[in-house]
Amino acid sequence: MKTFRPALLAIALVLTGCASSGSSSESSSGATWWNPLTYSWSSLAPWHWFGSSPEVTEQGVGGLNGATAMNDAAISDGLSGNYEVRKGMRGENGGVVTFFQAVKEKQVKVEVTGNTTISRIDVMDSDIATADGKKIGTPFSDLYSKAFNVCQKGTGSDADGVECKAPGSQHISYLFRGEWHGPEGLMPADDTLKKWTISKIIWRS
C-alpha cells in the first residue's frame, strides 16, 4: 500500500479545489479537506468537467460507447443528465429496432441504437463537436475536396444525404445534406457537395 500513497495524496490535492461542498469538510483551523469516501467518482469523467458538452471521439460520445448498456439511466448518465431520455421502437429491414432519444428544447439531439449495448450514436446537437472541432453546420469543403472513396449515398431515413468517413477515423462518419435537384439515388457532383453541411455526426462501435 505504501507505493500507492504518494499518488493518492497527489490526486487528493488536485481534486480538493474541485470537490463540491458535499464532498469536503472544514477543520477547526478553517482548512477544507477532500473526503474520498463521499466524493462522486463519476464526476471525474471529462464530459462532467465544468459542465461542458459531450465530445465525439474514437472512443464514443461523451460517456457513451460500445460498452454502455441500452437503458435510459446509463444513456442519461453518459450525456451528463443534460437531456430528457426517452425510449422508442420502430420497424426496420423487416425487424424491430429499439432506440433511445436524448431530447432538449423539444428537439431530438442524440439518438442511440443497439441491442444489449450501444452500437450506433447519431448526433444532431450543434453543441456537440468532434475532437478537432467539426460539428453540425460544418461545410463539406472544410473536410474534403472530393467524395470519391470516402463518401456514399445515405440509406433509410438518411437517403437524402451523403455519408462520408471522418478523415483518419474508424468509428466516426458525417452525414451531409444540402440543396440538389438531381436524380434520386445518385451522388451529387463534388462542386455541389462543397456547399453541403454536416447534418449529423454518426459514431459506430
Side-chain angles (χ1 to χ4, degrees):
M1 292 299 293
K2 290 182 178 180
T3 57
F4 292 99
R5 285 177 182 172
L8 289 173
L9 287 172
I11 293 172
L13 289 171
V14 170
L15 294 174
T16 297
C18 297
S20 64
S21 58
S23 59
S24 61
S25 59
E26 190 171 287
S27 69
S28 58
S29 62
T32 300
W33 299 91
W34 175 68
N35 185 347
L37 297 178
T38 60
Y39 192 79
S40 174
W41 288 100
S42 65
S43 64
L44 295 181
W47 53 91
H48 286 291
W49 295 351
F50 313 114
S52 59
S53 296
E55 187 176 69
V56 183
T57 67
E58 282 295 278
Q59 290 69 45
V61 178
L64 303 180
N65 54 54
T68 304
M70 279 287 289
N71 63 65
D72 53 358
I75 292 166
S76 179
D77 185 62
L79 293 172
S80 305
N82 292 332
Y83 305 83
E84 174 191 349
V85 177
R86 63 191 186 191
K87 181 180 180 179
M89 301 179 76
R90 63 170 173 259
E92 191 173 290
N93 297 325
V96 177
V97 175
T98 298
F99 61 89
F100 286 88
Q101 294 178 330
V103 180
K104 183 185 289 185
E105 298 173 353
K106 299 182 179 180
Q107 293 184 328
V108 177
K109 299 292 187 177
V110 180
E111 183 170 290
V112 175
T113 54
N115 292 315
T116 56
T117 58
I118 291 175
S119 60
R120 171 171 167 156
I121 306 170
D122 289 19
V123 175
M124 290 78 73
D125 190 340
S126 59
D127 289 334
I128 301 178
T130 60
D132 59 355
K134 303 303 184 290
K135 59 182 182 178
I136 306 304
T138 298
F140 179 94
S141 57
D142 281 10
L143 292 112
Y144 314 97
S145 59
K146 57 184 179 180
F148 183 69
N149 273 346
V150 291
C151 303
Q152 62 183 8
K153 197 76 174 68
T155 59
S157 61
D158 298 328
D160 60 338
V162 170
E163 184 177 337
C164 307
K165 292 292 292 182
S169 173
Q170 297 297 315
H171 300 277
I172 303 169
S173 61
Y174 304 114
L175 185 77
F176 292 89
R177 285 189 172 100
E179 187 175 351
W180 188 54
H181 303 292
E184 184 178 349
L186 293 183
M187 286 273 289
D190 291 331
D191 284 343
T192 298
L193 286 175
K194 288 177 181 178
K195 302 173 185 177
W196 286 24
T197 59
I198 295 175
S199 66
K200 181 187 293 185
I201 301 173
I202 302 170
W203 181 91
R204 293 182 176 89
S205 60

